[in-house]
Amino acid sequence: MNTKIPDAQAITASELELLREAIAESYASRERGRHPFGAVVADENGVVVARRGNNSMPPEGDPTQHAELTAAAEATSKLTAAQLARATLYTSAEPCVMCAGAIYWTGIGRVVYALSEEKLLGLTGDNPENPTFALPCREVFARGQRVVEVHGPMLEDEAADVHVGFW
């Protein structure tokens, strides 16, 4: 079991821009009538290889179509296992348990997220379309056999704005 998860908050200005791209994807999702979440996967050089907005909209849609899960899946078709280990998934909100599992299993080595699960819960309340888990992604990754580096939350206010009035 992996008990050490790096938690350094220092990321570059270009990485903050990639995080803002993930936030922009959350706005695009909302405009399409979907839950406002977005994700971007970039290789070790900061080149975007996948970008996805949320495509799940329970109860009628497929609830597994979260932005992080689908972006991670797309990245696996474009990067080798070694490249995935050096890739970063940027996401508008902290990955849920399902998405953290997808990130882990695809082999992506880093996650940078904007909005914490805790703050998201404050925005969504008890809305049945977003039954938030009180389980930080760091705890999910800590149970695995390999390290997934996590940075976040950051830019929380920017990421929270798209949720105002949605839930």
Side-chain angles (χ1 to χ4, degrees), residues 10-68:
I11 66 169
T12 67
S14 60
E15 288 184 295
L16 284 176
E17 287 309 309
L18 288 166
L19 186 56
R20 286 187 171 104
E21 286 188 36
I23 294 169
E25 288 293 328
S26 71
Y27 279 95
S29 290
R30 181 175 176 161
E31 289 172 12
R32 288 191 330 271
R34 299 299 186 196
H35 292 163
F37 299 97
V40 171
V41 178
D43 69 13
E44 66 185 309
N45 299 311
V47 176
V48 174
V49 297
R51 71 175 65 245
R52 293 296 173 116
N54 200 2
N55 200 30
S56 69
M57 191 69 170
E60 71 274 2
D62 180 347
T64 67
Q65 296 302 295
H66 288 193
E68 300 89 346

Side-chain angles (χ1 to χ4, degrees), residues 83-103:
Q83 290 170 321
L84 286 164
R86 297 185 303 270
T88 302
L89 185 140
Y90 299 88
T91 178
S92 64
E94 182 172 359
C96 72
V97 174
M98 176 180 69
C99 292
I103 292 162

Side-chain angles (χ1 to χ4, degrees), residues 40-42 49-50 68-76 79-90 99-112 141 146-149:
V40 171
V41 178
V49 297
E68 300 89 346
L69 187 151
T70 58
E74 181 181 345
T76 64
L79 300 175
T80 67
Q83 290 170 321
L84 286 164
R86 297 185 303 270
T88 302
L89 185 140
Y90 299 88
C99 292
I103 292 162
Y104 179 84
W105 287 111
T106 59
I108 293 172
R110 282 178 85 231
V111 172
V112 176
F141 295 136
R146 65 175 182 78
V147 171
V148 176
E149 185 178 326

